[in-house]
C-alpha cells in the first residue's frame, strides 16, 4: 500500500514509513487515483469530504481516498464490549474514531499463538495518531481505525499538519515546479513566494497587492481583452484563460477582496477598478 510521504518534506520518525512517496506514485497512474493509498488529512477535510453517491469512495480535493491518517487530541473515550470509541479534536474539527476489539489481542495471543505485544495505553486529553478508513452510518461520519496509538513526540503533530497541507496544495495548485513556472519564480523570481508585489505596471504604477497566479491571470485578462463598459462575464474569462469556472470564481473573489475589480450588471460580470 502506497504511503503518504511528500518528497519535499523530511519524514518524521513517528509520522512516516520510509521508502514510498504517495504523490509520486499517483502521478502517471490516473486510472488508479485513490486506490490503496494512505493520505494525511485534517479532521475538517474528513468532515468536508464529498461522496458522489451512497457506497462510493469519498473524495478530498476531487481525488478519491481510501485509507487516511491524522492526529488529534482525545476528548472522550467510550469503551464497550465490541469496540472502543474515541472522540478526537485536531483544532479544525472533531470526529469519532471506532476501533473494534481484537479478541485474540484481548486474550494476550497473537495470530501465531504467541503472546501479543502490550497495547499502548490511550488517555483523555493526550494526542493520538489514527490510521483508518472514513465511514458513514446513518448520515453520521466516523473513522474505522486499523491502528490508533499515542503521540509521544509533539513534533509529530507539526509534521503531520505540514504534510497534510502539502498534499492538499499539490492537488489544488499543482506540483511545486509547475507553480514556480506559472508564477515566474524561477530564474526571474521576485522573491515574493510566487505572488506579485510592488512595481507592477498593470496597476498604473502602483504597488499590486499580493495575489495568486490565478488571480493575476484573471486580472490581466480583464485588462487586455476587448470589452464594453460592462466588463467580462465569468464564462468569457474562463474561456480566454482556459481555466475552470470554479477557479475563475475563486480568483475573482480574491481580486474583489483586494478592491482590484468590481461587479457590474450582475455578480458574475466584472470590470477593473481604475486607480
Amino acid at each position: 500500500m502506497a504511503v503518504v510521504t511528500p518528497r519535499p518534506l523530511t519524514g518524521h520518525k513517528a509520522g512516516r514509513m520510509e521508502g514510498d512517496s504517495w504523490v509520486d506514485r499517483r502521478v502517471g497512474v490516473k486510472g488508479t487515483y485513490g486506490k490503496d493509498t494512505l493520505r494525511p488529512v485534517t479532521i475538517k477535510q474528513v468532515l468536508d469530504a464529498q461522496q458522489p453517491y451512497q457506497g462510493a469512495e469519498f473524495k478530498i480535493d476531487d481525488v478519491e481516498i481510501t485509507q487516511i491518517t491524522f492526529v488529534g487530541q482525545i476528548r472522550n473515550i467510550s469503551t464497550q464490549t465490541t469496540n472502543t470509541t474515541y472522540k478526537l479534536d485536531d483544532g479544525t474539527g472533531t470526529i469519532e474514531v471506532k476501533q473494534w476489539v481484537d479478541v485474540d489481542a484481548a486474550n494476550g495471543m497473537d495470530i501465531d499463538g504467541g503472546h501479543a505485544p502490550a497495547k499502548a495505553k490511550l488517555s483523555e486529553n493526550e494526542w493520538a495518531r489514527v490510521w483508518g478508513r472514513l465511514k458513514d452510518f446513518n448520515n453520521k461520519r466516523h473513522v474505522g481505525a486499523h491502528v490508533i496509538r499515542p503521540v509521544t513526540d509533539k513534533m509529530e503533530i507539526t509534521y503531520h499538519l505540514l504534510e497534510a497541507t502539502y498534499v492538499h496544495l499539490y492537488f489544488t495548485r499543482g506540483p511545486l515546479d509547475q507553480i514556480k513556472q506559472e508564477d515566474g519564480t524561477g530564474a526571474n523570481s521576485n522573491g515574493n513566494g510566487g505572488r506579485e508585489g510592488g512595481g507592477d505596471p498593470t496597476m498604473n504604477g502602483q504597488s499590486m497587492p499580493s495575489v495568486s497566479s490565478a488571480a493575476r491571470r484573471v486580472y490581466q485578462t480583464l485588462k487586455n481583452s476587448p470589452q464594453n463598459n460592462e466588463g467580462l462575464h465569468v464564462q468569457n474569462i474562463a474561456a480566454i484563460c482556459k481555466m475552470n469556472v470554479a477557479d475563475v470564481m475563486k480568483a475573482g473573489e480574491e481580486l474583489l477582496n483586494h478592491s482590484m475589480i468590481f461587479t457590474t450588471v450582475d455578480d458574475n460580470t466584472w470590470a477593473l477598478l481604475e486607480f
Side-chain angles (χ1 to χ4, degrees), residues 3 23 27 31 45 65 72 76 122 145-146 151 157 160 167 227 231 237:
V3 180
V23 168
V27 175
Q45 287 180 299
I65 57 171
N76 184 62
L122 296 165
H146 306 313
V151 171
I157 300 169
H160 172 80
V167 175
Q227 57 195 274
I237 298 172

Side-chain angles (χ1 to χ4, degrees), residues 30-231:
K30 291 186 177 180
T32 58
Y33 270 17
K35 303 302 182 183
D36 298 321
T37 60
L38 177 65
R39 174 164 177 170
V41 294
T42 64
I43 292 177
K44 185 179 188 304
Q45 287 180 299
V46 173
L47 298 175
D48 292 344
Q50 302 296 313
Q51 189 178 35
Y53 55 88
Q54 190 67 31
E57 297 288 359
F58 287 92
K59 289 186 175 183
I60 296 177
D61 301 327
D62 203 31
V63 177
E64 285 188 2
I65 57 171
T66 51
Q67 313 297 324
I68 58 175
T69 182
F70 60 93
V71 296
Q73 190 173 24
I74 302 173
R75 296 302 188 185
N76 184 62
I77 301 176
S78 176
T79 303
Q80 300 178 5
T81 304
T82 57
N83 68 82
T84 302
T85 301
Y86 305 90
K87 179 173 285 188
L88 266 67
D89 179 353
D90 70 349
T92 69
T94 60
I95 195 168
E96 288 187 348
V97 176
K98 294 183 181 293
Q99 185 175 43
W100 296 96
V101 174
D102 186 331
V103 177
D104 289 333
N107 293 331
M109 303 294 288
D110 62 17
I111 58 176
D112 297 321
H115 289 286
K119 184 178 178 180
K121 182 176 177 57
L122 296 165
S123 305
E124 290 186 7
N125 298 321
E126 295 297 328
W127 284 76
R129 176 178 282 272
V130 175
W131 287 266
R133 190 183 186 99
L134 177 58
K135 298 179 180 292
D136 184 279
F137 183 72
N138 288 338
N139 294 321
K140 183 178 181 181
R141 294 184 180 182
H142 72 276
V143 173
H146 306 313
V147 177
I148 178 169
R149 62 154 175 78
V151 171
T152 56
D153 184 348
K154 292 303 187 288
M155 283 301 296
E156 181 178 356
I157 300 169
T158 302
Y159 168 77
H160 172 80
L161 294 175
L162 288 172
E163 188 178 40
T165 301
Y166 173 76
V167 175
H168 165 69
L169 292 175
Y170 181 93
F171 285 110
T172 56
R173 299 192 182 182
L176 184 59
D177 291 342
Q178 175 182 319
I179 296 174
K180 286 182 177 180
Q181 292 174 2
E182 291 180 354
D183 291 356
T185 55
N188 297 321
S189 173
N190 62 10
N192 212 6
R195 292 175 174 262
E196 290 292 343
D200 191 333
T202 63
M203 296 286 294
N204 296 329
Q206 297 191 31
S207 178
M208 186 174 184
S210 177
V211 295
S212 66
S213 59
R216 288 202 308 279
R217 288 173 64 185
V218 171
Y219 184 90
Q220 291 293 338
T221 299
L222 286 168
K223 179 178 184 297
N224 298 323
S225 299
Q227 57 195 274
N228 56 28
N229 291 335
E230 295 178 352

